[in-house]
């Protein structure tokens, strides 16, 4: 039933679904009171669809949903539930934007716990990292209290590498890198929207070192997802921090990443590269 409601929510207008949402959310909360992990997974996933449909109006349900969301984020044993809960945080962040801020202390604490839990299935960690970016984009300058710890987590995750002969681990490292790049992009864009990009300056050298490592060790990136996000991050760094990062941007590996992006033949990546090249060129001309 949760799955059916999820489909309906994606197919109907906000106005159509809104008149039924009090009853729908009441039933979802009842499902979340059960002891069944599969039911939790289905209900949280359906909540994502409702949040995406209602956008800012979803905030009225956050007080009642928050305890169940936290249970999901801390359900390290049933890692599929944890994964869905992380995705729900991202969807809610995009839906209610700045209204997410009052709920962030608990949520960020749970996300950090997940990253620090060595028993948690490794597939959960890339979306957790990406979720930092979703939250930062939602709350803008209010992300400052979480900046240092989340960047430490990102820098730690960035050190993960895989041997050349382990394709499974290489694929995981690529997923991890995508999550890291998405997080950096979201944090930079969020702080830019909040006019607080100067907070990033102490961390830029470490972020650029990660981009250099990506350029030198990128393997099995068959769909160019890592490359696409890397060139996008270069553009975001350049456009957000300008001449403050002129030295860091004027490096061979930056130009190499942009050239590799152009060489993919992918129209979307090429457009991103052209934009990034433009903002990098403006900085270097100063």
């Amino acid at each position: 039933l949760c799955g059916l409601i999820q489909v309906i929510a994606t197919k109907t207008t906000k106005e159509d679904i809104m008149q039924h949402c009090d009853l729908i959310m009441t039933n979802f909360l009842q499902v979340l009171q059960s002891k069944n992990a599969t039911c939790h997974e289905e209900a949280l996933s359906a909540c994502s669809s409702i949040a995406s449909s209602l956008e800012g109006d979803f905030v009225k349900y956050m007080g009642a949903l928050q305890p169940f969301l936290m249970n999901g984020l801390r359900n390290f044993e049933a890692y599929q539930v944890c994964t869905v809960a992380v995705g729900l945080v991202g969807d809610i962040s995009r839906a209610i934007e700045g209204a997410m801020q009052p709920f962030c202390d608990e949520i960020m604490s749970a996300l950090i716990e997940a990253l620090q839990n060595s028993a948690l299935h490794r597939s959960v960690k890339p979306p957790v990292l990406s979720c930092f970016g979703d939250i930062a984009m939602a709350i803008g300058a209010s992300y400052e209290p979480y900046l240092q710890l989340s960047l430490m987590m990102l820098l730690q995750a960035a050190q993960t590498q895989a041997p050349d002969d382990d394709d499974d681990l290489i694929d995981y490292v690529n997923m991890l890198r995508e999550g890291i790049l998405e997080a950096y992009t979201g944090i930079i864009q969020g702080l830019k929207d909040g006019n607080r990009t100067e907070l990033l300056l102490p961390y830029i050298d470490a972020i650029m070192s990660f981009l250099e490592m990506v350029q030198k060790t990128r393997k099995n990136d068959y769909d160019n997802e890592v490359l696409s996000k890397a060139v996008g991050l270069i553009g975001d760094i350049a456009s957000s921090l300008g001449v403050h990062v002129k030295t860091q941007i004027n490096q061979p590996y930056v130009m190499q990443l942009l050239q590799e992006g152009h060489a993919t033949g992918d129209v979307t990546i090429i457009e991103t590269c052209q934009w990034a090249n433009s903002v990098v060129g403006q900085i270097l001309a100063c």
Side-chain angles (χ1 to χ4, degrees):
L1 185 57
C2 288
L4 177 60
I5 294 172
Q6 184 176 357
V7 172
I8 292 170
T10 61
K11 301 292 185 182
T12 56
T13 66
K14 176 180 177 180
E15 290 71 24
D16 287 338
I17 197 74
M18 197 167 180
Q19 58 187 310
H20 305 291
C21 275
D22 286 356
L23 181 58
I24 289 171
M25 289 301 299
T26 298
N27 284 313
F28 285 166
L29 294 174
Q30 289 177 348
V31 172
L32 289 167
Q33 291 176 40
S34 73
K35 302 296 184 183
N36 187 298
T38 302
C39 290
H40 293 181
E41 186 179 345
E42 291 291 331
L44 292 171
S45 184
C47 285
S48 282
S49 295
I50 298 296
S52 299
S53 180
L54 292 190
E55 299 174 320
D57 290 311
F58 188 80
V59 70
K60 68 179 286 190
Y61 303 112
M62 281 301 295
L65 178 62
Q66 177 84 343
F68 301 104
L69 178 59
M70 298 310 303
N71 288 340
L73 290 174
R74 292 194 167 106
N75 194 342
F76 302 142
E77 292 77 23
Y79 71 89
Q80 297 95 334
V81 175
C82 187
T83 300
V84 172
V86 171
L88 176 55
V89 170
D91 288 331
I92 294 173
S93 298
R94 285 183 287 274
I96 69 175
E97 298 181 327
M100 187 70 169
Q101 195 275 328
F103 309 99
C104 285
D105 282 356
E106 264 196 304
I107 289 171
M108 287 296 297
S109 177
L111 294 176
I112 296 295
E113 285 177 37
L115 291 174
Q116 293 175 332
N117 189 307
S118 59
L120 180 62
H121 195 279
R122 70 184 189 185
S123 66
V124 184
K125 299 194 175 183
V128 169
L129 296 171
S130 179
C131 197
F132 290 157
D134 295 328
I135 293 170
M137 287 186 69
I139 66 175
S142 297
Y143 192 77
E144 182 178 356
Y146 317 115
L147 183 65
Q148 183 176 9
L149 187 54
S150 60
L151 287 177
M152 283 175 54
M153 294 289 105
L154 290 166
L155 294 172
Q156 183 177 331
Q159 302 307 311
T160 308
Q161 296 196 53
D164 291 339
D165 59 351
D166 190 337
D167 285 344
D168 285 344
L169 192 52
I170 290 171
D171 289 343
Y172 173 68
V173 168
N174 282 337
M175 290 172 56
L176 205 59
R177 288 179 174 181
E178 286 180 43
I180 293 166
L181 291 164
E182 289 168 355
Y184 281 144
T185 296
I187 290 170
I188 290 171
Q189 290 179 0
L191 292 179
K192 182 180 181 181
D193 290 343
N195 297 312
R196 296 304 308 273
T197 52
E198 77 280 356
L199 296 172
L200 290 163
L201 290 173
Y203 307 99
I204 284 299
D205 286 341
I207 295 172
M208 296 304 293
S209 293
F210 172 62
L211 283 169
E212 182 176 16
M213 183 171 68
V214 167
Q215 191 275 313
K216 290 181 176 177
T217 64
R218 188 169 64 96
K219 297 185 287 285
N220 295 11
D221 184 25
Y222 301 120
D223 54 7
N224 293 310
E225 285 294 328
V226 174
L227 178 59
S228 174
K229 291 174 171 60
V231 296
L233 178 58
I234 289 169
D236 283 319
I237 291 170
S239 65
S240 300
L241 294 164
V243 294
H244 297 294
V245 292
K246 182 174 181 178
T247 300
Q248 292 92 334
I249 287 291
N250 190 21
Q251 299 294 328
Y253 67 87
V254 172
M255 301 307 159
Q256 184 63 36
L257 280 168
L258 294 175
Q259 288 171 12
E260 290 173 12
H262 276 289
T264 62
D266 183 293
V267 174
T268 303
I269 297 176
I270 290 172
E271 288 178 354
T272 304
C273 286
Q274 289 172 340
W275 165 72
N277 262 320
S278 174
V279 291
V280 167
Q282 290 171 20
I283 292 173
L284 298 182
C286 293

